Amino acid sequence: MATLEIDRVKKSYGAMDVLKEVNISVGDGDFLVLLGPSGCGKSTLLNMIAGLEEITAGEIRIGGEVMNDRSPKDRDIAMVFQSYALYPTMTVRQNIEFGMKIRGVPPSERAKATQAAADMLQMGHLLDRRPSQLSGGQRQRVAMGRAVVREPKLFLFDEPLSNLDAKLRVDMRTEIKRLHQRLGTTIVYVTHDQIEAMTLATRIAVMKDGIVQHFGPPQEVYDRPANTYVARFVGSPAMNIVGAVLHVGADGRAEAAVSLPSGEARISGIPLSDATLKSYQGRPVLLGIRPEHFALTTGAGLDVHVDVVEPTGPDTLAVFSMGDGEVIARLEPFAAAAGERLRLSVKEDKVVLFDPATEARLD
Amino acid sequence: MATDLRSARRSQQLGRLFIYGSLVALAAFYLMPLWVMIVTSLKSLDEIYAGSFIGLPKAVTFEAWSKAWGTACIGTKCAGLKPYFINSLLMVIPAVILSSGIGAINGYVLTKWRFKGSNVVFGMLLFGCFLPFQAVLLPMAQVLGKLGLSGSIPGLVLVHTVYGIAFTTLFFRNYFITIPDELTKAAQIDGAGFFRIFFSIMLPAALPIIVVSCIWQFTQIWNDFLFGVSFTAGDSTPVTVALNNIVNVTMGRKQYNVDMAAAMIAAIPTLVVYVVAGRYFVRGLTAGAVKG
C-alpha cells in the first residue's frame, strides 16, 4: 500500500508533447481513475507509472520513493491489461504463478497464494484450463488474480472492462470495487467510460490532450466541473450548456438571463462569489445545468416548448430549445409529451457558470 | 414439381461428376512423372530397354535402389548416394536450426523491442528475400575463403544460414506482430527479462510458425543445388550435386532405373517432412490472418 505522486510529469515523442506537465497526488488506499477520450495520454501516463515508458521530465513517486529509473519489476506494482494479456500457452495456474516463479517464491507458497486468489475471485475450477478455453469475464478474473498474488503497493488497470459486454461490465465493475474494499490497495484505473469513473473512483483526473482538466473527488467533478469540457464529458446525458447574460438579482446574488421561445427568462440565486459577479456583471456567460436539476413546477419557472420526448424507463428525457441550443431535462415518466408546453423550475444552487472565452468555471 | 426436383438433382450430379472427373484427370496428369519414376526404378535395366516406359514392371526388383544408395559410381568412387545423403543431413539440420533460431530472435526484437530504425533494418532484411543467389556467389566464395571454410560442409551451413535469415525473419516477424504487445508488458511487470519472455512466452506461442520456418528452410536447403555445386567439391558435396553427377556420368548404357531411384532417394526427406508436418504448414501460413 502506498501513496502515488505524479509531479510535473511530461512525455514527448520527438517534438510531439503527449503529456504536458501532469500533477496528480493520491493518498494510501485511494482509487484514482484517469478518465478521458482516446489519445488524451491517459494510457501513456499509466505506462509511465508502470515503468513501461520513459518519463521525459518530472518525477513519479510511489510510497515516497522516486520510480523514474526503476524497471517495472522493481516498482512493486501489478497491472491488468485491456486484452488481459494472459500467456496463451500456459494454464491459468501457470499464468498466476509465473511472476512468483521468477521472483523465486518457493512452490508451496506459490500454491497457497494461487489458491487464496482463486478462492477470492471464485475461479478455483478454472486453474487447469488455458486462457483460450475461458470466457471474457473469466479471463478478466484470471488477470485480476495474477495481479492480486503479487500483493503490490499499487494496482494498475488499463481499460480492463472495455472488451466485455454491457452486462458483464457492470458485474466486473462491482468485482473490482469489492477487490479494492477488501485489499485497500491504492489503484490507478484508466478508462474512457465516465460511469466507470464515477462508480469506482475516490479521485478522478479528467484528461484531454495531455493536460489534466480536472482532478478531484467524483462528486466534485460532477457538480462543479472545472470547465465545459469536463462538464460535457462526465454525466449522461451531458450537462446542458447554453449562452446567457449575467446580472445582479434583486437579492444581490447572481442571476442569469436566458432567451426562450416564449421570451426571456431569469434564473436567480446562482452561487457565485461577489468579486466574480462584479466583474462579469452584464456580460455573456455559459450556463451549465444538469438534466436532473430541472423539475415540473406550478410556480415561477421557465416556459418551454417540448420538442422531443425520450422515455428511458425510470425517467423521461424532454428535449427543448433554450438560449442558443438544445437542452435536455430529466423528468418523471409521463411528465411530458412532444409538442407540450411545460413550466420548469431549476435547482439554482446547482447551476454552474463558465467563462465563454476560456470555458473555465466561474466561482 | 417432383420432376423438376429430380432433374435439378440429376444436373447437380452431372456437375459433381464433371468436377471430380476433371480433378482426377488433372491429378493423374500431374502425378505422371512420379509414376514413371517409381515404375522405372523398380524395373531391371534390360526390361527398360526392351519394353515400355509407363507400364508396370514384369518383375519388381529393388536392385536399382540398393545400387543408387550403396554402390553407384560417382567419379571414381563407387559408394552410391549414401555418403552425400549424410552430407546433406549434416548440412541441413544445423542450417535449419540456426536460421530459424536467428529468424525467431530477429522477429521478436523487430516486433516487441523496437528501436530507432528497426523498420529500416527489417526492410533491408526483406531485400534478402529478393536477392538472386547468383549475385552473391563470388563475394560469398571470397568470404568463405577468408574464413577457411571453402569446400566444406560448415561453409555451406554458414551460407544457408545467412541467406535463410531473410525469410525466417519475415515469417517470425509477421507472426509475432499478431501477438499483443501487452503480453510482453505483462511479463516485464512479472519480472521476466528479454530471454525469459522469448523462451517462456513467445516461442511456445509460435509453434505453428516454427514448423513453417523449419519446413521452408529444410526444403530450400535440402533442394539447393547452386550453393552446393559452387562451394563444395568431391567428398563434401550435398546429395543434390551427387545426384547430378550420378545421372550425368555413366559408362556404357544409361542406367535409367538407378537414376530414377537416386532421384527418389534425394527427394524422400522433403516428402517425409511435408507428410509429417504439412498440416502445421498450412495452419501456420494462415495463422495470423485471423486474430484469435
Side-chain angles (χ1 to χ4, degrees):
Chain A
M1 287 197 244
T3 59
L4 169 69
E5 289 151 90
I6 299 166
D7 188 4
R8 285 166 296 144
V9 162
K10 288 185 198 172
K11 175 77 187 175
S12 29
Y13 295 108
M16 196 174 63
D17 292 333
V18 184
L19 291 177
K20 300 157 193 158
E21 248 201 44
V22 172
N23 289 297
I24 293 172
S25 165
V26 294
D28 190 10
D30 258 332
F31 196 128
L32 167 67
V33 172
L34 304 176
L35 175 66
S38 54
C40 72
K42 58 190 193 299
S43 286
T44 308
L45 184 58
L46 192 75
N47 281 337
M48 285 159 81
I49 298 170
L52 298 167
E53 301 238 21
E54 296 263 322
I55 300 165
T56 310
E59 264 183 12
I60 289 179
R61 293 185 289 272
I62 298 175
E65 289 176 70
V66 179
M67 290 291 149
N68 287 36
D69 297 320
R70 285 209 204 164
S71 70
K73 67 175 162 57
D74 299 324
R75 296 191 179 200
D76 209 353
I77 50 164
M79 190 154 167
V80 175
F81 294 87
Q82 183 177 357
S83 68
Y84 320 131
L86 301 178
Y87 310 127
T89 56
M90 300 184 196
T91 62
V92 168
R93 188 190 306 278
Q94 288 166 331
N95 260 285
I96 294 174
E97 293 192 357
F98 185 67
M100 290 190 278
K101 210 164 137 188
I102 290 175
R103 292 194 298 279
V105 177
S108 60
E109 275 178 52
R110 266 188 252 158
K112 211 193 282 171
T114 305
Q115 199 53 51
D119 289 345
M120 186 165 80
L121 294 163
Q122 293 143 33
M123 54 174 197
H125 58 295
L126 305 176
L127 283 178
D128 293 310
R129 298 206 199 157
R130 284 185 198 286
S132 56
Q133 298 165 307
L134 304 179
S135 69
Q138 290 171 330
R139 288 181 204 187
Q140 185 60 67
R141 270 169 212 275
V142 176
M144 276 161 62
R146 189 169 67 177
V148 166
V149 293
R150 168 116 207 205
E151 295 181 357
K153 280 189 195 154
L154 198 62
F155 279 117
L156 306 176
F157 287 88
D158 189 3
E159 307 220 17
L161 304 182
S162 38
N163 284 356
L164 302 176
D165 63 52
K167 163 105 178 56
L168 207 50
R169 198 176 304 172
V170 175
D171 293 349
M172 289 311 292
R173 200 170 72 195
T174 315
E175 197 78 21
I176 291 174
K177 186 127 195 181
R178 190 173 291 139
L179 186 80
H180 181 239
Q181 283 172 1
R182 192 172 316 178
L183 300 175
T185 311
T186 314
I187 293 181
V188 183
Y189 185 107
V190 163
T191 182
H192 59 263
D193 181 342
Q194 53 93 19
I195 298 191
E196 274 175 36
M198 290 299 295
T199 50
L200 291 171
T202 60
R203 288 280 184 285
I204 294 181
V206 183
M207 295 178 68
K208 183 198 164 202
D209 300 334
I211 296 170
V212 176
Q213 306 287 325
H214 193 154
F215 172 58
Q219 202 60 49
E220 178 197 295
V221 171
Y222 188 80
D223 287 338
R224 307 281 299 159
N227 55 39
T228 56
Y229 178 79
V230 177
R232 288 195 179 101
F233 197 83
V234 177
S236 175
M239 183 183 262
N240 300 297
I241 295 173
V242 293
V245 179
L246 195 65
H247 297 287
V248 182
D251 56 356
R253 297 174 67 188
E255 186 177 89
V258 286
S259 65
L260 287 169
S262 57
E264 195 190 68
R266 296 212 167 207
I267 300 167
S268 49
I270 298 168
L272 196 67
S273 71
D274 290 343
T276 318
L277 178 56
K278 216 175 201 176
S279 61
Y280 278 84
Q281 186 184 353
R283 287 173 52 188
V285 290
L286 293 175
L287 190 63
I289 309 170
R290 293 269 174 210
E292 63 270 28
H293 295 145
F294 288 102
L296 284 179
T297 182
T298 48
L302 315 173
D303 288 313
V304 303
H305 186 199
V306 177
D307 194 13
V308 177
V309 170
E310 297 172 345
T312 63
D315 323 287
T316 290
L317 303 178
V319 183
F320 52 89
S321 66
M322 176 171 163
D324 46 3
E326 278 202 329
V327 164
I328 296 178
R330 190 195 295 266
L331 305 172
E332 291 187 356
F334 304 112
E340 231 178 14
R341 286 173 195 286
L342 296 178
R343 175 165 289 186
L344 298 177
S345 66
V346 174
K347 260 192 199 164
E348 62 283 337
D349 57 328
K350 295 285 191 182
V351 171
V352 189
L353 297 173
F354 302 96
D355 182 298
T358 64
E359 307 216 331
R361 188 188 67 230
L362 301 174
D363 287 309
Chain B
M1 277 300 277
T3 48
D4 275 6
L5 215 65
R6 205 173 299 155
S7 77
R9 195 172 297 158
R10 174 168 299 169
S11 75
Q12 203 181 11
Q13 279 171 344
L14 276 175
R16 271 286 140 89
L17 200 67
F18 176 74
I19 291 172
Y20 284 115
S22 39
L23 282 178
V24 167
L26 287 171
F29 182 70
Y30 191 82
L31 287 173
M32 196 63 123
L34 182 68
W35 170 255
V36 172
M37 282 176 78
I38 293 173
V39 294
T40 308
S41 72
L42 296 176
K43 288 173 185 169
S44 69
L45 203 56
D46 289 338
E47 193 187 334
I48 294 168
Y49 277 94
S52 83
F53 222 51
I54 296 178
L56 281 166
K58 285 197 198 85
V60 173
T61 165
F62 289 95
E63 214 174 291
W65 283 75
S66 67
K67 194 170 177 192
W69 178 248
T71 60
C73 295
I74 295 164
T76 53
K77 197 173 155 196
C78 293
L81 277 183
K82 189 178 160 195
Y84 307 99
F85 192 91
I86 292 169
N87 280 351
S88 273
L89 284 179
L90 289 178
M91 164 188 77
V92 81
I93 291 169
V96 166
I97 293 172
L98 282 174
S99 58
S100 295
I102 295 172
I105 291 198
N106 281 352
Y108 170 55
V109 171
L110 288 173
T111 51
K112 303 296 169 219
W113 299 89
R114 286 178 206 218
F115 49 92
K116 242 186 189 166
S118 59
N119 278 335
V120 178
V121 170
F122 179 57
M124 277 158 56
L125 265 171
L126 276 192
F127 208 63
C129 294
F130 307 109
L131 203 64
F133 285 164
Q134 290 85 338
V136 301
L137 284 181
L138 282 178
M140 192 38 110
Q142 279 183 322
V143 170
L144 289 178
K146 291 222 167 93
L147 292 174
L149 292 174
S150 2
S152 70
I153 291 172
L156 266 191
V157 171
L158 178 72
V159 175
H160 284 302
T161 303
V162 168
Y163 289 104
I165 287 174
F167 277 100
T168 56
T169 302
L170 176 68
F171 290 147
F172 280 99
R173 186 257 181 200
N174 285 355
Y175 189 81
F176 284 145
I177 209 155
T178 64
I179 295 181
D181 291 348
E182 290 188 343
L183 223 53
T184 344
K185 291 184 184 172
Q188 271 178 277
I189 288 174
D190 266 341
F194 181 87
F195 284 107
R196 185 91 185 214
I197 297 174
F198 180 64
F199 285 112
S200 298
I201 292 159
M202 301 307 272
L203 267 196
L207 191 65
I209 208 69
I210 293 175
V211 173
V212 168
S213 175
C214 286
I215 293 184
W216 174 270
Q217 282 302 96
F218 187 94
T219 318
Q220 292 291 312
I221 298 172
W222 184 274
N223 288 341
D224 166 71
F225 181 75
L226 182 68
F227 286 148
V229 80
S230 310
F231 298 135
T232 56
D235 285 347
S236 56
T237 58
V239 72
T240 45
V241 178
L243 173 66
N244 176 64
N245 294 346
I246 284 190
V247 175
N248 283 344
V249 185
T250 26
M251 285 152 282
R253 283 199 295 182
K254 191 145 185 66
Q255 307 200 330
Y256 287 113
N257 53 355
V258 177
D259 293 352
M260 295 301 179
M264 298 281 292
I265 289 171
I268 278 173
T270 40
L271 280 177
V272 169
V273 166
Y274 270 103
V275 169
V276 171
R279 245 170 356 119
Y280 295 98
F281 188 68
V282 176
R283 208 182 296 164
L285 282 183
T286 51
V290 184
K291 253 193 172 176

